Amino acid sequence: MLRRAMGPPFRILVVEDEPVIRELVRSMLSDGEVEVECAATGAEGLKLARTTSFDLILLDVVLPQLDGITVCRMLRADPSTAKVPLHMLTAKAKKSDVEVAMKAGADGYIHKPFRGAELMDLVATLRAAKG
Ligand code: CA
């Protein structure tokens, strides 16, 4: 596939029920080459992930109704989203919680409160891998 001179933007989906955290992540990561889309619920996140292609999904664990672990399993079970880099974003930091997330198919785990540098490093690594 031919790439445009500027390259397509790096697209990130943030699934998070707390507006303050959604906007924090958006403001930390958005720039001319990175687009951040947000979903407030697991169902909304699933719908967006299935209809738009993303380069990274940041998924909160504790969400109302459909929790992040369930959303992660559903994304991994769907061929159209199975390979999208997915990192859980949560304050739940016990070793067992990390294991549950990894078993559900997450690629990584970012603890709240996170530092902007941590998120930016992750995005920089994935963008470099994307080429
Ligand atoms: Ca939450």
Side-chain angles (χ1 to χ4, degrees):
M1 195 176 97
L2 288 173
R3 296 189 60 201
R4 281 177 288 154
M6 287 291 289
F10 187 89
R11 298 177 57 84
I12 303 173
L13 172 62
V14 179
V15 187
E16 164 67 68
D17 59 326
E18 290 164 65
V20 172
I21 297 179
R22 283 202 300 274
E23 289 315 311
L24 182 67
V25 173
R26 191 202 292 278
S27 66
M28 279 173 174
L29 296 178
S30 296
D31 67 24
E33 296 172 327
V34 178
E35 284 179 10
V36 178
E37 284 214 41
C38 296
T41 66
E44 195 188 329
L46 272 175
K47 193 176 164 198
L48 266 174
R50 285 169 172 164
T51 53
T52 309
S53 81
F54 289 99
D55 298 297
L56 170 64
I57 297 174
L58 295 172
L59 178 58
D60 186 20
V61 170
V62 183
L63 292 165
Q65 296 158 14
L66 208 52
D67 68 276
I69 298 296
T70 304
V71 172
C72 181
R73 288 199 187 104
M74 291 170 81
L75 289 170
R76 286 316 187 216
D78 183 333
S80 71
T81 53
K83 297 276 189 328
V84 181
L86 187 154
H87 289 246
M88 304 303 299
L89 198 65
T90 185
K92 296 184 91 182
K94 289 197 307 245
K95 191 159 172 270
S96 56
D97 295 321
V98 177
E99 281 167 6
V100 167
M102 296 317 232
K103 276 199 186 124
D107 296 305
Y109 209 91
I110 293 171
H111 294 162
K112 294 180 202 168
F114 45 83
R115 291 174 304 117
E118 200 178 343
L119 282 181
M120 283 184 263
D121 282 354
L122 172 63
V123 170
T125 303
L126 290 170
R127 286 179 72 183
K130 193 186 171 196

